[in-house]
Amino acid sequence: MRKIAPFIQTLICYLFIVLFIYAAVSKLIDFETFQTQLGQSPLLASYAIHISYGIIAIELVTAVLLMFERTRKLALQISLFLMVMFTTYIVIILHFTAFTPCSCGGVLEKMGWTEHLIFNIVFVGLALIGIRIANNSQTWRGYIIEQTTLTIVGIVSVIILYSLSEQKSQYNNSFTRKYIPHLAEKLTTLNLESTGYYIAGIDSCYAYLAHPNAPLFLRTYDYHTQNVINNRIKIKNELLPYKRIITYVNSPYFYLGDGTVGIIEKGILNDYTASLETIDNAYYNQYVPGKKDHFGLSITSQKTKQTALALLYKTVDGYQLKINDTTLKSQQNGAFDLDGLLIWNEQHQIFLYVYYYKNEIIILDSMMNEKNVMKSIDSLNEPELDVAFYKKYQNYRLGPKTIRVNETIATYGDYLYIHSKRLGNFEEEHQSASIIDVYDLVNNHYLHSFYLYHKPKQQLRDFKIYQNSVFAVIDDEIYRYQLKK
């Protein structure tokens, strides 16, 4: 073992030299993108400029120190310290922040964050082995104390950066909610066995669940008996370049739409065969079925080059597209500030558009004409966006300082329900509940709020209302609650 130890140490040093030089050079080659990525990090945004230079300098200096026998132990300890910090950073990004930025560093950028974490842990282990070989005269007790101390310092350093970051402060606000205690009583839960499901529709017997990774399968959940049936949808043309199929169920019909190819398909439940309803090259970002043969769309207007609303409706001559490019008004550059959620209220025959990034709710009639504008309880009138342009990818991306006012929405009868993560006066973050704000669509004002209680540290992904029931997808489960009258 003693004979091969120097070889192992040399190999470890060479691996670190290659890693640090490659990482530093790839950052220098695309330094602007590297700085932009740091500037959109939940932990490092406030220190992006200094860190961008510091990381590259430390990586290059460490690589040089690893080349010489006299400085190898020091260089390996620096390597361990860096890899511990990088690993801790990834753990925090994956488990403790609401925003996951782009990874950076050449080929490492093509890794997912989980793969990146495993890669870093392997190099932490290599550094520990290299340090032990470099100082084999040290007692095991001294070695363990020294490296444990160094590891703890690295972890604590990143945790301090996280605690100093401004990420959490964006959720505090100056409005006051009116809570109705225990308004939603939990009735049943069902494990869906994987995350990513959304509720395509609900009727008097079933909740219909779809998944973006398996768009031709529709799960029928009988919420009275707790039985689940998996149905495969048949479509006429499977060769189209589908990218983002979204399913809606409005019993007895179901709809499949993909705005990237500009089509909407329609079928009847229990048959599960879809026929092409429209292919008028009406490319859209989102769609929602309205009254018969009418579809509300969110599109990119050719006239304004910004997000606009539109109506696709059937006439005797085929489908017509009516564009409303005046209702959504940009306060900034229009890249993200007009983004929101479009929904149809069957009982009042109206469309509702709720902005993601400001406190505005637009009410439109069945022909997509603006009827009214309502303010939500939130106090954010103008979007606060953290937008950066990535020259390498030629696109804009949102960063962690962006304040998202509204998460998901649902509507039934006279009410609009909005899930928000924003905290008001006298509120603290609740690990075991999600906030739902309720709005009166008849009198156009905020009514009250209530909690949907669930398991700790789980996330509300989607929810729908049917009569006096709330159906909510929370991570890999679907909950059914009853609203008390």
Side-chain angles (χ1 to χ4, degrees):
M1 183 67 184
R2 289 184 178 179
K3 290 183 179 180
I4 65 170
F7 171 76
I8 293 173
Q9 184 198 52
T10 302
L11 178 61
I12 290 171
C13 289
Y14 282 148
L15 287 172
F16 271 107
I17 289 168
V18 171
L19 173 65
F20 288 143
I21 289 179
Y22 176 78
V25 170
S26 64
K27 292 180 180 77
L28 284 170
I29 290 172
D30 199 4
F31 188 66
E32 185 178 349
T33 298
F34 174 56
Q35 274 197 328
T36 304
Q37 288 170 330
L38 287 179
Q40 291 202 308
S41 165
L43 277 70
L44 308 176
S46 301
Y47 324 101
I49 295 176
H50 299 94
I51 289 176
S52 63
Y53 290 105
I55 287 178
I56 293 172
I58 292 172
E59 287 176 338
L60 291 174
V61 168
T62 305
V64 172
L65 293 175
L66 285 164
M67 295 176 186
F68 302 100
E69 188 72 33
R70 287 189 306 171
T71 55
R72 276 187 175 175
K73 182 189 173 185
L74 173 63
L76 284 166
Q77 287 181 317
I78 295 172
S79 301
L80 174 62
F81 185 72
L82 286 175
M83 298 312 296
V84 166
M85 291 186 72
F86 294 157
T87 303
T88 306
Y89 173 79
I90 293 173
V91 170
I92 291 174
I93 287 293
L94 287 175
H95 298 287
F96 300 101
T97 66
F99 175 82
T100 304
C102 304
S103 60
C104 28
V107 71
L108 302 183
E109 189 174 353
K110 302 191 187 314
M111 290 186 186
W113 281 97
T114 302
E115 291 82 3
H116 210 148
L117 177 63
I118 295 169
F119 180 89
N120 282 8
I121 291 172
V122 170
F123 271 85
V124 167
L126 291 175
L128 288 169
I129 294 170
I131 292 168
R132 181 58 187 165
I133 295 172
N135 195 11
N136 57 11
S137 61
Q138 187 182 30
T139 64
W140 273 102
R141 185 172 182 272
Y143 166 78
I144 291 172
I145 292 173
E146 186 177 279
Q147 306 321 314
T148 301
T149 302
L150 187 63
T151 301
I152 291 172
V153 171
I155 293 171
V156 170
S157 299
V158 180
I159 291 174
I160 290 172
L161 278 177
Y162 176 57
S163 64
L164 293 175
S165 71
E166 299 176 357
Q167 174 69 14
K168 291 186 177 180
S169 65
Q170 71 174 1
Y171 296 114
N172 296 324
N173 212 328
S174 58
F175 58 87
T176 302
R177 286 187 171 95
K178 174 186 174 184
Y179 280 101
I180 305 296
H182 307 291
L183 182 64
E185 177 186 0
K186 186 171 70 174
L187 298 179
T188 58
T189 61
L190 176 73
N191 193 308
L192 300 174
E193 299 175 351
S194 67
T195 59
Y197 280 97
Y198 63 91
I199 303 170
I202 301 169
D203 60 26
S204 59
C205 295
Y206 305 107
Y208 301 90
L209 300 162
H211 198 292
N213 295 336
L216 296 185
F217 285 89
L218 188 64
R219 300 188 78 177
T220 302
Y221 165 45
D222 186 330
Y223 52 85
H224 299 295
T225 65
Q226 294 292 96
N227 291 328
V228 178
I229 300 173
N230 295 318
N231 306 287
R232 192 181 192 283
I233 297 172
K234 300 173 186 176
I235 57 177
K236 296 290 178 65
N237 190 348
E238 295 188 8
L239 300 179
L240 287 172
Y242 300 103
K243 292 181 181 177
R244 191 179 68 246
I245 295 177
I246 302 298
T247 304
Y248 279 100
V249 173
N250 189 1
S251 187
Y253 303 106
F254 69 89
Y255 303 88
L256 299 179
D258 189 333
T260 63
V261 291
I263 69 163
I264 296 174
E265 304 192 34
K266 180 180 179 181
I268 299 177
L269 294 171
N270 300 323
D271 178 18
Y272 295 106
T273 300
S275 59
L276 196 61
E277 184 73 5
T278 169
I279 185 165
D280 282 355
N281 295 325
Y283 301 106
Y284 52 86
N285 304 315
Q286 57 181 310
Y287 83 103
V288 59
K291 67 182 184 181
K292 185 178 179 181
D293 297 325
H294 286 58
F295 301 94
L297 308 178
S298 165
I299 66 170
T300 300
S301 169
Q302 294 298 313
K303 179 180 178 181
T304 64
K305 308 301 180 184
Q306 296 179 346
T307 301
L309 300 175
L311 183 75
L312 189 67
Y313 62 101
K314 198 170 189 178
T315 67
V316 291
D317 299 319
Y319 274 93
Q320 302 293 322
L321 183 66
K322 174 188 175 184
I323 299 175
N324 176 348
D325 51 20
T326 59
T327 291
L328 303 186
K329 299 176 178 65
S330 177
Q331 294 172 285
Q332 298 181 14
N333 63 4
F336 295 101
D337 64 320
L338 297 181
D339 289 355
L341 292 163
L342 182 64
I343 198 169
W344 169 253
N345 181 290
E346 179 68 27
Q347 290 72 36
H348 287 273
Q349 298 281 290
I350 55 174
F351 289 103
L352 300 163
Y353 190 81
V354 179
Y355 286 100
Y356 281 135
Y357 306 112
K358 63 178 179 179
N359 62 349
E360 199 167 289
I361 301 161
I362 301 173
I363 302 169
L364 307 108
D365 66 18
S366 61
M367 292 301 292
M368 204 57 77
N369 300 306
E370 182 180 334
K371 290 183 64 179
N372 203 353
V373 177
M374 177 170 50
K375 293 289 185 180
S376 72
I377 190 175
D378 200 288
S379 58
L380 196 64
N381 291 303
E382 185 171 340
E384 293 187 16
L385 304 177
D386 173 17
V387 181
F389 180 72
Y390 286 73
K391 192 175 287 186
K392 178 179 179 180
Y393 309 104
Q394 288 297 302
N395 63 17
Y396 290 92
R397 296 183 185 178
L398 287 173
K401 294 181 181 178
T402 297
I403 297 179
R404 181 154 164 166
V405 175
N406 303 306
E407 298 291 329
T408 53
I409 62 174
T411 186
Y412 189 87
D414 295 340
Y415 307 109
L416 170 67
Y417 302 82
I418 299 179
H419 166 47
S420 175
K421 294 181 180 179
R422 296 265 283 166
L423 300 180
N425 264 339
F426 316 114
E427 295 179 17
E428 294 183 358
E429 191 170 1
H430 205 310
Q431 295 287 328
S432 303
S434 299
I435 301 168
I436 305 295
D437 299 321
V438 185
Y439 296 86
D440 185 337
L441 295 175
V442 177
N443 299 302
N444 297 326
H445 66 83
Y446 166 77
L447 280 179
H448 52 253
S449 301
F450 63 91
Y451 282 119
L452 287 181
Y453 290 96
H454 48 70
K455 293 178 183 176
K457 297 184 179 180
Q458 289 192 329
Q459 295 289 320
L460 174 62
R461 308 295 179 179
D462 187 28
F463 76 106
K464 294 286 187 293
I465 312 291
Y466 182 78
Q467 295 180 347
N468 65 335
S469 293
V470 181
F471 296 82
V473 174
I474 299 170
D475 284 348
D476 61 350
E477 294 181 292
I478 182 168
Y479 286 60
R480 182 190 174 200
Y481 304 84
Q482 185 173 14
L483 294 175
K484 295 180 181 179
K485 295 182 180 179

